[in-house]
Amino acid sequence: MENAIKITKPESYFVSLMGKIPILSYYSHSRGWSFLITWGHRLSGLTLVFYMFAHLYTLSLLFQPEKFDADMQFLNNFLFTFLEWCVAIPVIFHALNGGRLILYEMFHVRAEEMIIRLMVIIGIIYIAIVGFFFIEESRQISAIVFWSITVIISLVAFFIVFFKLWSTGNSLMWKLQRITGGFMFLMLIGHMLFMHMNYLAGHDSKTILLRMQSPFIKGVDLIFILFLLFHAGYGMFSIATDYLRPGPVLKSLTFLIIVAMLVSAFFGIRLVAAL
Ligand code: HEM
């Protein structure tokens, strides 16, 4: 193939290392890496949905700041810190792969190998940076400056995806999922970085409550929560439609997903508005 890119030595070593993991080895040979990437997207999406519910629960403890601080103190040990760092893996994988899919849907350019190579490099750098912040957690950055820059870039991404995909013949829900994905791309990556640059930023009730007094931060949080819940809810619905035929089971599951997202939206909005 004329456009095929040359696989470098470290890359072929990395792929052979991945191929040593039994389940990856089996499916990469029988179904190919793109099958595994699709599954990775699905599993990372579901992992983030469950993490999101747990996260909403811990944030709801901010109504009782002493309880919140006591829980954060309890979780402040090697095991939980390591598990929290591990969340960077589904975050960056889902964001980069989702971004890759949206780029393809907008511009129809298939430079898969090149983009996957970039994804791996950016992914590893991101996980390492988050890990660095877990160890060296005293970076100071103004929340307003950080989120102003992140929101401006995210709005640009939002409008690019909106204008490119709005006039396509896909369903409204499909388009909204890509548009919310485009907006959340940097917001989600930034969220994790911001909360771990400084331990207090994401784990100390006083610091969080003070930050949340800003109407700008409240607005950003509200938009993020609503986009996130729509995206996650529609994501789960589209997974359900892949396995279930139209009928009472699918209807009941859809109903459950809608209720779960509406209840989460209620708690999320109440949290942001009341604190
Ligand atoms: C960082 C920003 C994100 C981007 C760019 C993004 C992008 C995407 C895209 C393009 C899809 C459709 C994939 C397809 O139909 O083939 C998707 C599916 C999905 N997303 Fe996201 N997403 C993001 C964040 C999230 C978050 C934070 C969650 C969970 C809280 C989530 C949960 C899901 C789920 C459950 C699916 C369905 C997966 C499937 O159909 O296999 N996403 N995402």
Side-chain angles (χ1 to χ4, degrees), residues 38 41-42 45-46 48-49 52 91 94-95 98-99 101-102 105 174 177-178 180-182 184-186 188-189 228 231-232 235-236 238-239 242:
T38 307
H41 194 76
R42 183 153 284 188
L46 287 176
L48 294 178
V49 171
M52 175 188 79
V91 162
H94 191 91
L101 293 171
I102 295 171
E105 284 155 1
W174 185 97
Q177 203 191 26
R178 271 61 184 175
T180 49
M184 285 194 303
F185 178 77
L186 200 62
L188 185 70
I189 299 177
L228 182 67
H231 183 96
M236 285 197 292
S238 59
I239 294 176
D242 270 359

PDB file of all heavy atoms in Angstrom, residues 38 41-42 45-46 48-49 52 91 94-95 98-99 101-102 105 174 177-178 180-182 184-186 188-189 228 231-232 235-236 238-239 242, ligand 1:
ATOM      1  N   THR A  38     -12.981  -0.844  19.098  1.00  0.00           N
ATOM      2  CA  THR A  38     -14.422  -0.581  19.243  1.00  0.00           C
ATOM      3  C   THR A  38     -14.901  -1.057  20.617  1.00  0.00           C
ATOM      4  O   THR A  38     -15.655  -0.365  21.308  1.00  0.00           O
ATOM      5  CB  THR A  38     -15.212  -1.327  18.139  1.00  0.00           C
ATOM      6  OG1 THR A  38     -14.634  -0.973  16.892  1.00  0.00           O
ATOM      7  CG2 THR A  38     -16.680  -0.979  18.150  1.00  0.00           C
ATOM      8  N   HIS A  41     -13.711   1.209  23.313  1.00  0.00           N
ATOM      9  CA  HIS A  41     -14.512   2.435  23.398  1.00  0.00           C
ATOM     10  C   HIS A  41     -15.768   2.179  24.233  1.00  0.00           C
ATOM     11  O   HIS A  41     -16.130   2.966  25.096  1.00  0.00           O
ATOM     12  CB  HIS A  41     -14.888   2.907  21.997  1.00  0.00           C
ATOM     13  CG  HIS A  41     -15.413   4.303  21.987  1.00  0.00           C
ATOM     14  ND1 HIS A  41     -14.605   5.405  22.102  1.00  0.00           N
ATOM     15  CD2 HIS A  41     -16.679   4.779  21.930  1.00  0.00           C
ATOM     16  CE1 HIS A  41     -15.339   6.501  22.103  1.00  0.00           C
ATOM     17  NE2 HIS A  41     -16.616   6.145  22.001  1.00  0.00           N
ATOM     18  N   ARG A  42     -16.378   1.045  23.950  1.00  0.00           N
ATOM     19  CA  ARG A  42     -17.618   0.685  24.653  1.00  0.00           C
ATOM     20  C   ARG A  42     -17.348   0.485  26.152  1.00  0.00           C
ATOM     21  O   ARG A  42     -18.040   1.045  26.995  1.00  0.00           O
ATOM     22  CB  ARG A  42     -18.161  -0.605  24.009  1.00  0.00           C
ATOM     23  CG  ARG A  42     -19.432  -1.064  24.560  1.00  0.00           C
ATOM     24  CD  ARG A  42     -20.197  -1.860  23.540  1.00  0.00           C
ATOM     25  NE  ARG A  42     -20.793  -0.994  22.540  1.00  0.00           N
ATOM     26  CZ  ARG A  42     -21.650  -1.418  21.620  1.00  0.00           C
ATOM     27  NH1 ARG A  42     -21.973  -2.688  21.558  1.00  0.00           N
ATOM     28  NH2 ARG A  42     -22.180  -0.577  20.774  1.00  0.00           N
ATOM     29  N   GLY A  45     -16.444   3.679  27.891  1.00  0.00           N
ATOM     30  CA  GLY A  45     -17.653   4.503  28.060  1.00  0.00           C
ATOM     31  C   GLY A  45     -18.451   4.020  29.266  1.00  0.00           C
ATOM     32  O   GLY A  45     -18.858   4.819  30.113  1.00  0.00           O
ATOM     33  N   LEU A  46     -18.628   2.693  29.374  1.00  0.00           N
ATOM     34  CA  LEU A  46     -19.409   2.148  30.498  1.00  0.00           C
ATOM     35  C   LEU A  46     -18.693   2.376  31.833  1.00  0.00           C
ATOM     36  O   LEU A  46     -19.316   2.701  32.838  1.00  0.00           O
ATOM     37  CB  LEU A  46     -19.677   0.655  30.285  1.00  0.00           C
ATOM     38  CG  LEU A  46     -20.720   0.350  29.188  1.00  0.00           C
ATOM     39  CD1 LEU A  46     -20.849  -1.155  28.970  1.00  0.00           C
ATOM     40  CD2 LEU A  46     -22.080   0.937  29.561  1.00  0.00           C
ATOM     41  N   LEU A  48     -16.773   4.821  32.541  1.00  0.00           N
ATOM     42  CA  LEU A  48     -16.941   6.231  32.915  1.00  0.00           C
ATOM     43  C   LEU A  48     -18.354   6.505  33.426  1.00  0.00           C
ATOM     44  O   LEU A  48     -18.553   7.322  34.320  1.00  0.00           O
ATOM     45  CB  LEU A  48     -16.606   7.137  31.726  1.00  0.00           C
ATOM     46  CG  LEU A  48     -15.137   7.103  31.289  1.00  0.00           C
ATOM     47  CD1 LEU A  48     -14.905   7.992  30.072  1.00  0.00           C
ATOM     48  CD2 LEU A  48     -14.214   7.543  32.417  1.00  0.00           C
ATOM     49  N   VAL A  49     -19.344   5.773  32.866  1.00  0.00           N
ATOM     50  CA  VAL A  49     -20.718   5.955  33.360  1.00  0.00           C
ATOM     51  C   VAL A  49     -20.787   5.554  34.838  1.00  0.00           C
ATOM     52  O   VAL A  49     -21.311   6.291  35.672  1.00  0.00           O
ATOM     53  CB  VAL A  49     -21.725   5.110  32.533  1.00  0.00           C
ATOM     54  CG1 VAL A  49     -23.098   5.130  33.199  1.00  0.00           C
ATOM     55  CG2 VAL A  49     -21.830   5.642  31.105  1.00  0.00           C
ATOM     56  N   MET A  52     -19.024   7.991  36.941  1.00  0.00           N
ATOM     57  CA  MET A  52     -19.809   9.234  37.045  1.00  0.00           C
ATOM     58  C   MET A  52     -20.853   9.133  38.168  1.00  0.00           C
ATOM     59  O   MET A  52     -21.018  10.060  38.963  1.00  0.00           O
ATOM     60  CB  MET A  52     -20.491   9.477  35.699  1.00  0.00           C
ATOM     61  CG  MET A  52     -21.426  10.643  35.654  1.00  0.00           C
ATOM     62  SD  MET A  52     -22.314  10.644  34.082  1.00  0.00           S
ATOM     63  CE  MET A  52     -23.560   9.389  34.378  1.00  0.00           C
ATOM     64  N   VAL A  91     -10.464   7.466  30.615  1.00  0.00           N
ATOM     65  CA  VAL A  91     -10.761   8.856  30.228  1.00  0.00           C
ATOM     66  C   VAL A  91     -10.062   9.197  28.920  1.00  0.00           C
ATOM     67  O   VAL A  91     -10.685   9.611  27.942  1.00  0.00           O
ATOM     68  CB  VAL A  91     -10.332   9.855  31.346  1.00  0.00           C
ATOM     69  CG1 VAL A  91     -10.222  11.275  30.819  1.00  0.00           C
ATOM     70  CG2 VAL A  91     -11.321   9.813  32.504  1.00  0.00           C
ATOM     71  N   HIS A  94     -11.148   6.863  25.816  1.00  0.00           N
ATOM     72  CA  HIS A  94     -12.472   7.164  25.276  1.00  0.00           C
ATOM     73  C   HIS A  94     -12.479   8.533  24.585  1.00  0.00           C
ATOM     74  O   HIS A  94     -13.059   8.693  23.516  1.00  0.00           O
ATOM     75  CB  HIS A  94     -13.512   7.105  26.393  1.00  0.00           C
ATOM     76  CG  HIS A  94     -14.916   7.130  25.895  1.00  0.00           C
ATOM     77  ND1 HIS A  94     -15.634   5.992  25.604  1.00  0.00           N
ATOM     78  CD2 HIS A  94     -15.738   8.154  25.599  1.00  0.00           C
ATOM     79  CE1 HIS A  94     -16.828   6.315  25.176  1.00  0.00           C
ATOM     80  NE2 HIS A  94     -16.927   7.638  25.163  1.00  0.00           N
ATOM     81  N   ALA A  95     -11.817   9.511  25.224  1.00  0.00           N
ATOM     82  CA  ALA A  95     -11.800  10.855  24.640  1.00  0.00           C
ATOM     83  C   ALA A  95     -11.084  10.842  23.289  1.00  0.00           C
ATOM     84  O   ALA A  95     -11.604  11.360  22.297  1.00  0.00           O
ATOM     85  CB  ALA A  95     -11.112  11.825  25.595  1.00  0.00           C
ATOM     86  N   GLY A  98     -13.016   8.668  20.773  1.00  0.00           N
ATOM     87  CA  GLY A  98     -14.253   9.373  20.411  1.00  0.00           C
ATOM     88  C   GLY A  98     -13.914  10.540  19.489  1.00  0.00           C
ATOM     89  O   GLY A  98     -14.586  10.762  18.480  1.00  0.00           O
ATOM     90  N   GLY A  99     -12.847  11.272  19.809  1.00  0.00           N
ATOM     91  CA  GLY A  99     -12.410  12.389  18.978  1.00  0.00           C
ATOM     92  C   GLY A  99     -12.042  11.904  17.578  1.00  0.00           C
ATOM     93  O   GLY A  99     -12.393  12.532  16.570  1.00  0.00           O
ATOM     94  N   LEU A 101     -13.245   9.261  16.026  1.00  0.00           N
ATOM     95  CA  LEU A 101     -14.476   8.901  15.310  1.00  0.00           C
ATOM     96  C   LEU A 101     -15.197  10.155  14.795  1.00  0.00           C
ATOM     97  O   LEU A 101     -15.653  10.196  13.652  1.00  0.00           O
ATOM     98  CB  LEU A 101     -15.426   8.121  16.237  1.00  0.00           C
ATOM     99  CG  LEU A 101     -14.966   6.731  16.671  1.00  0.00           C
ATOM    100  CD1 LEU A 101     -15.884   6.164  17.747  1.00  0.00           C
ATOM    101  CD2 LEU A 101     -14.929   5.794  15.476  1.00  0.00           C
ATOM    102  N   ILE A 102     -15.244  11.176  15.673  1.00  0.00           N
ATOM    103  CA  ILE A 102     -15.941  12.411  15.269  1.00  0.00           C
ATOM    104  C   ILE A 102     -15.197  13.080  14.105  1.00  0.00           C
ATOM    105  O   ILE A 102     -15.809  13.531  13.138  1.00  0.00           O
ATOM    106  CB  ILE A 102     -16.068  13.382  16.474  1.00  0.00           C
ATOM    107  CG1 ILE A 102     -16.963  12.746  17.551  1.00  0.00           C
ATOM    108  CG2 ILE A 102     -16.659  14.716  16.051  1.00  0.00           C
ATOM    109  CD1 ILE A 102     -17.004  13.499  18.875  1.00  0.00           C
ATOM    110  N   GLU A 105     -16.075  11.238  11.047  1.00  0.00           N
ATOM    111  CA  GLU A 105     -17.453  11.515  10.608  1.00  0.00           C
ATOM    112  C   GLU A 105     -17.587  12.911  10.004  1.00  0.00           C
ATOM    113  O   GLU A 105     -18.421  13.135   9.125  1.00  0.00           O
ATOM    114  CB  GLU A 105     -18.414  11.352  11.798  1.00  0.00           C
ATOM    115  CG  GLU A 105     -18.650   9.874  12.113  1.00  0.00           C
ATOM    116  CD  GLU A 105     -19.055   9.597  13.565  1.00  0.00           C
ATOM    117  OE1 GLU A 105     -19.172  10.543  14.359  1.00  0.00           O
ATOM    118  OE2 GLU A 105     -19.246   8.428  13.891  1.00  0.00           O
ATOM    119  N   TRP A 174     -28.173  11.137  17.514  1.00  0.00           N
ATOM    120  CA  TRP A 174     -26.829  10.790  17.020  1.00  0.00           C
ATOM    121  C   TRP A 174     -25.984  12.056  16.926  1.00  0.00           C
ATOM    122  O   TRP A 174     -24.831  12.097  17.392  1.00  0.00           O
ATOM    123  CB  TRP A 174     -26.960  10.109  15.650  1.00  0.00           C
ATOM    124  CG  TRP A 174     -25.682   9.593  15.058  1.00  0.00           C
ATOM    125  CD1 TRP A 174     -25.214   8.321  15.110  1.00  0.00           C
ATOM    126  CD2 TRP A 174     -24.705  10.350  14.302  1.00  0.00           C
ATOM    127  NE1 TRP A 174     -24.010   8.225  14.440  1.00  0.00           N
ATOM    128  CE2 TRP A 174     -23.678   9.452  13.936  1.00  0.00           C
ATOM    129  CE3 TRP A 174     -24.598  11.677  13.892  1.00  0.00           C
ATOM    130  CZ2 TRP A 174     -22.565   9.839  13.186  1.00  0.00           C
ATOM    131  CZ3 TRP A 174     -23.477  12.076  13.145  1.00  0.00           C
ATOM    132  CH2 TRP A 174     -22.483  11.153  12.806  1.00  0.00           C
ATOM    133  N   GLN A 177     -25.063  13.459  20.254  1.00  0.00           N
ATOM    134  CA  GLN A 177     -24.009  12.717  20.952  1.00  0.00           C
ATOM    135  C   GLN A 177     -22.625  13.144  20.469  1.00  0.00           C
ATOM    136  O   GLN A 177     -21.686  13.291  21.256  1.00  0.00           O
ATOM    137  CB  GLN A 177     -24.179  11.213  20.809  1.00  0.00           C
ATOM    138  CG  GLN A 177     -23.447  10.552  21.971  1.00  0.00           C
ATOM    139  CD  GLN A 177     -23.296   9.082  21.865  1.00  0.00           C
ATOM    140  OE1 GLN A 177     -23.296   8.552  20.762  1.00  0.00           O
ATOM    141  NE2 GLN A 177     -23.157   8.418  22.982  1.00  0.00           N
ATOM    142  N   ARG A 178     -22.494  13.362  19.166  1.00  0.00           N
ATOM    143  CA  ARG A 178     -21.194  13.813  18.624  1.00  0.00           C
ATOM    144  C   ARG A 178     -20.893  15.244  19.094  1.00  0.00           C
ATOM    145  O   ARG A 178     -19.757  15.575  19.420  1.00  0.00           O
ATOM    146  CB  ARG A 178     -21.225  13.779  17.085  1.00  0.00           C
ATOM    147  CG  ARG A 178     -20.814  12.469  16.474  1.00  0.00           C
ATOM    148  CD  ARG A 178     -21.698  11.354  16.894  1.00  0.00           C
ATOM    149  NE  ARG A 178     -21.266  10.063  16.396  1.00  0.00           N
ATOM    150  CZ  ARG A 178     -21.858   8.926  16.726  1.00  0.00           C
ATOM    151  NH1 ARG A 178     -22.879   8.923  17.557  1.00  0.00           N
ATOM    152  NH2 ARG A 178     -21.426   7.778  16.250  1.00  0.00           N
ATOM    153  N   THR A 180     -22.009  16.799  21.833  1.00  0.00           N
ATOM    154  CA  THR A 180     -21.637  16.814  23.256  1.00  0.00           C
ATOM    155  C   THR A 180     -20.235  16.216  23.430  1.00  0.00           C
ATOM    156  O   THR A 180     -19.445  16.683  24.239  1.00  0.00           O
ATOM    157  CB  THR A 180     -22.652  16.030  24.117  1.00  0.00           C
ATOM    158  OG1 THR A 180     -22.870  14.748  23.511  1.00  0.00           O
ATOM    159  CG2 THR A 180     -23.971  16.745  24.246  1.00  0.00           C
ATOM    160  N   GLY A 181     -19.935  15.182  22.645  1.00  0.00           N
ATOM    161  CA  GLY A 181     -18.603  14.557  22.703  1.00  0.00           C
ATOM    162  C   GLY A 181     -17.530  15.578  22.334  1.00  0.00           C
ATOM    163  O   GLY A 181     -16.501  15.695  22.998  1.00  0.00           O
ATOM    164  N   GLY A 182     -17.790  16.353  21.271  1.00  0.00           N
ATOM    165  CA  GLY A 182     -16.827  17.367  20.815  1.00  0.00           C
ATOM    166  C   GLY A 182     -16.579  18.390  21.922  1.00  0.00           C
ATOM    167  O   GLY A 182     -15.444  18.775  22.195  1.00  0.00           O
ATOM    168  N   MET A 184     -17.109  17.983  25.168  1.00  0.00           N
ATOM    169  CA  MET A 184     -16.519  17.408  26.398  1.00  0.00           C
ATOM    170  C   MET A 184     -15.071  16.994  26.239  1.00  0.00           C
ATOM    171  O   MET A 184     -14.386  16.730  27.226  1.00  0.00           O
ATOM    172  CB  MET A 184     -17.334  16.184  26.838  1.00  0.00           C
ATOM    173  CG  MET A 184     -18.657  16.517  27.476  1.00  0.00           C
ATOM    174  SD  MET A 184     -19.325  15.086  28.300  1.00  0.00           S
ATOM    175  CE  MET A 184     -19.407  13.875  27.028  1.00  0.00           C
ATOM    176  N   PHE A 185     -14.612  16.880  24.981  1.00  0.00           N
ATOM    177  CA  PHE A 185     -13.269  16.345  24.741  1.00  0.00           C
ATOM    178  C   PHE A 185     -12.230  16.994  25.667  1.00  0.00           C
ATOM    179  O   PHE A 185     -11.597  16.330  26.488  1.00  0.00           O
ATOM    180  CB  PHE A 185     -12.901  16.533  23.255  1.00  0.00           C
ATOM    181  CG  PHE A 185     -11.527  16.065  22.917  1.00  0.00           C
ATOM    182  CD1 PHE A 185     -11.269  14.717  22.769  1.00  0.00           C
ATOM    183  CD2 PHE A 185     -10.482  16.958  22.770  1.00  0.00           C
ATOM    184  CE1 PHE A 185      -9.981  14.263  22.474  1.00  0.00           C
ATOM    185  CE2 PHE A 185      -9.197  16.516  22.473  1.00  0.00           C
ATOM    186  CZ  PHE A 185      -8.953  15.168  22.324  1.00  0.00           C
ATOM    187  N   LEU A 186     -12.080  18.311  25.544  1.00  0.00           N
ATOM    188  CA  LEU A 186     -11.065  18.987  26.357  1.00  0.00           C
ATOM    189  C   LEU A 186     -11.545  19.189  27.797  1.00  0.00           C
ATOM    190  O   LEU A 186     -10.742  19.180  28.746  1.00  0.00           O
ATOM    191  CB  LEU A 186     -10.716  20.345  25.726  1.00  0.00           C
ATOM    192  CG  LEU A 186      -9.387  20.908  26.165  1.00  0.00           C
ATOM    193  CD1 LEU A 186      -8.257  19.980  25.761  1.00  0.00           C
ATOM    194  CD2 LEU A 186      -9.158  22.279  25.571  1.00  0.00           C
ATOM    195  N   LEU A 188     -13.260  17.190  29.688  1.00  0.00           N
ATOM    196  CA  LEU A 188     -13.054  16.007  30.528  1.00  0.00           C
ATOM    197  C   LEU A 188     -11.566  15.786  30.840  1.00  0.00           C
ATOM    198  O   LEU A 188     -11.183  15.543  31.980  1.00  0.00           O
ATOM    199  CB  LEU A 188     -13.632  14.776  29.823  1.00  0.00           C
ATOM    200  CG  LEU A 188     -13.610  13.498  30.628  1.00  0.00           C
ATOM    201  CD1 LEU A 188     -14.609  13.575  31.765  1.00  0.00           C
ATOM    202  CD2 LEU A 188     -13.925  12.294  29.759  1.00  0.00           C
ATOM    203  N   ILE A 189     -10.748  15.929  29.783  1.00  0.00           N
ATOM    204  CA  ILE A 189      -9.301  15.771  29.980  1.00  0.00           C
ATOM    205  C   ILE A 189      -8.825  16.838  30.981  1.00  0.00           C
ATOM    206  O   ILE A 189      -8.057  16.565  31.907  1.00  0.00           O
ATOM    207  CB  ILE A 189      -8.561  15.937  28.630  1.00  0.00           C
ATOM    208  CG1 ILE A 189      -9.010  14.878  27.632  1.00  0.00           C
ATOM    209  CG2 ILE A 189      -7.060  15.875  28.814  1.00  0.00           C
ATOM    210  CD1 ILE A 189      -8.378  15.025  26.266  1.00  0.00           C
ATOM    211  N   LEU A 228     -22.855  15.770  29.751  1.00  0.00           N
ATOM    212  CA  LEU A 228     -22.331  14.463  30.159  1.00  0.00           C
ATOM    213  C   LEU A 228     -23.466  13.447  30.307  1.00  0.00           C
ATOM    214  O   LEU A 228     -23.391  12.317  29.810  1.00  0.00           O
ATOM    215  CB  LEU A 228     -21.601  14.643  31.490  1.00  0.00           C
ATOM    216  CG  LEU A 228     -20.925  13.445  32.112  1.00  0.00           C
ATOM    217  CD1 LEU A 228     -19.775  13.033  31.226  1.00  0.00           C
ATOM    218  CD2 LEU A 228     -20.391  13.779  33.493  1.00  0.00           C
ATOM    219  N   HIS A 231     -24.992  12.529  26.918  1.00  0.00           N
ATOM    220  CA  HIS A 231     -24.052  11.697  26.160  1.00  0.00           C
ATOM    221  C   HIS A 231     -23.994  10.275  26.731  1.00  0.00           C
ATOM    222  O   HIS A 231     -24.073   9.288  25.997  1.00  0.00           O
ATOM    223  CB  HIS A 231     -22.668  12.355  26.199  1.00  0.00           C
ATOM    224  CG  HIS A 231     -21.631  11.644  25.407  1.00  0.00           C
ATOM    225  ND1 HIS A 231     -21.306  12.005  24.125  1.00  0.00           N
ATOM    226  CD2 HIS A 231     -20.845  10.581  25.706  1.00  0.00           C
ATOM    227  CE1 HIS A 231     -20.367  11.199  23.674  1.00  0.00           C
ATOM    228  NE2 HIS A 231     -20.057  10.329  24.617  1.00  0.00           N
ATOM    229  N   ALA A 232     -23.874  10.184  28.063  1.00  0.00           N
ATOM    230  CA  ALA A 232     -23.771   8.873  28.710  1.00  0.00           C
ATOM    231  C   ALA A 232     -25.080   8.092  28.534  1.00  0.00           C
ATOM    232  O   ALA A 232     -25.075   6.893  28.241  1.00  0.00           O
ATOM    233  CB  ALA A 232     -23.442   9.042  30.188  1.00  0.00           C
ATOM    234  N   GLY A 235     -25.491   6.995  25.015  1.00  0.00           N
ATOM    235  CA  GLY A 235     -24.482   5.951  24.784  1.00  0.00           C
ATOM    236  C   GLY A 235     -24.987   4.602  25.280  1.00  0.00           C
ATOM    237  O   GLY A 235     -24.903   3.591  24.580  1.00  0.00           O
ATOM    238  N   MET A 236     -25.571   4.607  26.495  1.00  0.00           N
ATOM    239  CA  MET A 236     -26.072   3.328  27.038  1.00  0.00           C
ATOM    240  C   MET A 236     -27.262   2.830  26.221  1.00  0.00           C
ATOM    241  O   MET A 236     -27.398   1.635  25.975  1.00  0.00           O
ATOM    242  CB  MET A 236     -26.458   3.514  28.512  1.00  0.00           C
ATOM    243  CG  MET A 236     -25.227   3.605  29.391  1.00  0.00           C
ATOM    244  SD  MET A 236     -25.598   3.339  31.108  1.00  0.00           S
ATOM    245  CE  MET A 236     -26.550   4.771  31.468  1.00  0.00           C
ATOM    246  N   SER A 238     -27.740   3.350  23.027  1.00  0.00           N
ATOM    247  CA  SER A 238     -27.284   2.799  21.739  1.00  0.00           C
ATOM    248  C   SER A 238     -26.630   1.427  21.936  1.00  0.00           C
ATOM    249  O   SER A 238     -26.736   0.556  21.064  1.00  0.00           O
ATOM    250  CB  SER A 238     -26.392   3.770  20.969  1.00  0.00           C
ATOM    251  OG  SER A 238     -25.284   4.092  21.723  1.00  0.00           O
ATOM    252  N   ILE A 239     -26.001   1.203  23.099  1.00  0.00           N
ATOM    253  CA  ILE A 239     -25.447  -0.136  23.374  1.00  0.00           C
ATOM    254  C   ILE A 239     -26.614  -1.122  23.504  1.00  0.00           C
ATOM    255  O   ILE A 239     -26.599  -2.215  22.934  1.00  0.00           O
ATOM    256  CB  ILE A 239     -24.588  -0.144  24.656  1.00  0.00           C
ATOM    257  CG1 ILE A 239     -23.341   0.718  24.455  1.00  0.00           C
ATOM    258  CG2 ILE A 239     -24.170  -1.573  25.029  1.00  0.00           C
ATOM    259  CD1 ILE A 239     -22.459   0.858  25.689  1.00  0.00           C
ATOM    260  N   ASP A 242     -28.059  -2.378  20.367  1.00  0.00           N
ATOM    261  CA  ASP A 242     -27.199  -3.322  19.628  1.00  0.00           C
ATOM    262  C   ASP A 242     -27.498  -4.764  20.020  1.00  0.00           C
ATOM    263  O   ASP A 242     -27.195  -5.691  19.288  1.00  0.00           O
ATOM    264  CB  ASP A 242     -25.724  -3.040  19.936  1.00  0.00           C
ATOM    265  CG  ASP A 242     -25.142  -2.045  18.963  1.00  0.00           C
ATOM    266  OD1 ASP A 242     -25.892  -1.606  18.070  1.00  0.00           O
ATOM    267  OD2 ASP A 242     -23.956  -1.704  19.100  1.00  0.00           O
TER     268      ASP A 242
HETATM  269  C1  HEM B   1     -14.156  13.192  26.307  1.00  0.00           C
HETATM  270  C2  HEM B   1     -15.155  13.374  25.590  1.00  0.00           C
HETATM  271  C3  HEM B   1     -15.911  12.286  24.885  1.00  0.00           C
HETATM  272  C4  HEM B   1     -15.914  12.057  23.539  1.00  0.00           C
HETATM  273  C5  HEM B   1     -15.122  12.804  22.488  1.00  0.00           C
HETATM  274  C6  HEM B   1     -16.814  10.956  23.315  1.00  0.00           C
HETATM  275  C7  HEM B   1     -17.155  10.470  22.082  1.00  0.00           C
HETATM  276  C8  HEM B   1     -18.023   9.447  21.840  1.00  0.00           C
HETATM  277  C9  HEM B   1     -18.478   8.996  20.550  1.00  0.00           C
HETATM  278  C10 HEM B   1     -18.062   9.582  19.214  1.00  0.00           C
HETATM  279  C11 HEM B   1     -19.312   7.959  20.753  1.00  0.00           C
HETATM  280  C12 HEM B   1     -20.058   7.141  19.681  1.00  0.00           C
HETATM  281  C13 HEM B   1     -19.297   5.912  19.330  1.00  0.00           C
HETATM  282  C14 HEM B   1     -20.024   5.071  18.309  1.00  0.00           C
HETATM  283  O1  HEM B   1     -21.250   5.154  18.192  1.00  0.00           O
HETATM  284  O2  HEM B   1     -19.346   4.297  17.623  1.00  0.00           O
HETATM  285  C15 HEM B   1     -19.388   7.733  22.178  1.00  0.00           C
HETATM  286  C16 HEM B   1     -20.088   6.715  22.767  1.00  0.00           C
HETATM  287  C17 HEM B   1     -20.245   6.566  24.106  1.00  0.00           C
HETATM  288  N1  HEM B   1     -19.780   7.395  25.095  1.00  0.00           N
HETATM  289 FE1  HEM B   1     -18.551   8.941  24.824  1.00  0.00          FE
HETATM  290  N2  HEM B   1     -17.292  10.525  24.527  1.00  0.00           N
HETATM  291  C18 HEM B   1     -16.774  11.324  25.516  1.00  0.00           C
HETATM  292  C19 HEM B   1     -17.017  11.232  26.869  1.00  0.00           C
HETATM  293  C20 HEM B   1     -17.813  10.287  27.475  1.00  0.00           C
HETATM  294  C21 HEM B   1     -18.071  10.157  28.899  1.00  0.00           C
HETATM  295  C22 HEM B   1     -17.484  11.084  29.946  1.00  0.00           C
HETATM  296  C23 HEM B   1     -18.894   9.094  29.071  1.00  0.00           C
HETATM  297  C24 HEM B   1     -19.472   8.532  30.333  1.00  0.00           C
HETATM  298  C25 HEM B   1     -19.718   9.205  31.422  1.00  0.00           C
HETATM  299  C26 HEM B   1     -19.151   8.524  27.773  1.00  0.00           C
HETATM  300  C27 HEM B   1     -19.932   7.429  27.542  1.00  0.00           C
HETATM  301  C28 HEM B   1     -20.181   6.884  26.315  1.00  0.00           C
HETATM  302  C29 HEM B   1     -20.918   5.657  26.090  1.00  0.00           C
HETATM  303  C30 HEM B   1     -21.530   4.753  27.150  1.00  0.00           C
HETATM  304  C31 HEM B   1     -20.949   5.459  24.708  1.00  0.00           C
HETATM  305  C32 HEM B   1     -21.584   4.299  23.948  1.00  0.00           C
HETATM  306  C33 HEM B   1     -20.455   3.377  23.489  1.00  0.00           C
HETATM  307  C34 HEM B   1     -20.826   2.462  22.346  1.00  0.00           C
HETATM  308  O3  HEM B   1     -21.796   2.708  21.637  1.00  0.00           O
HETATM  309  O4  HEM B   1     -20.072   1.501  22.143  1.00  0.00           O
HETATM  310  N3  HEM B   1     -18.483   9.259  26.828  1.00  0.00           N
HETATM  311  N4  HEM B   1     -18.599   8.631  22.832  1.00  0.00           N
END
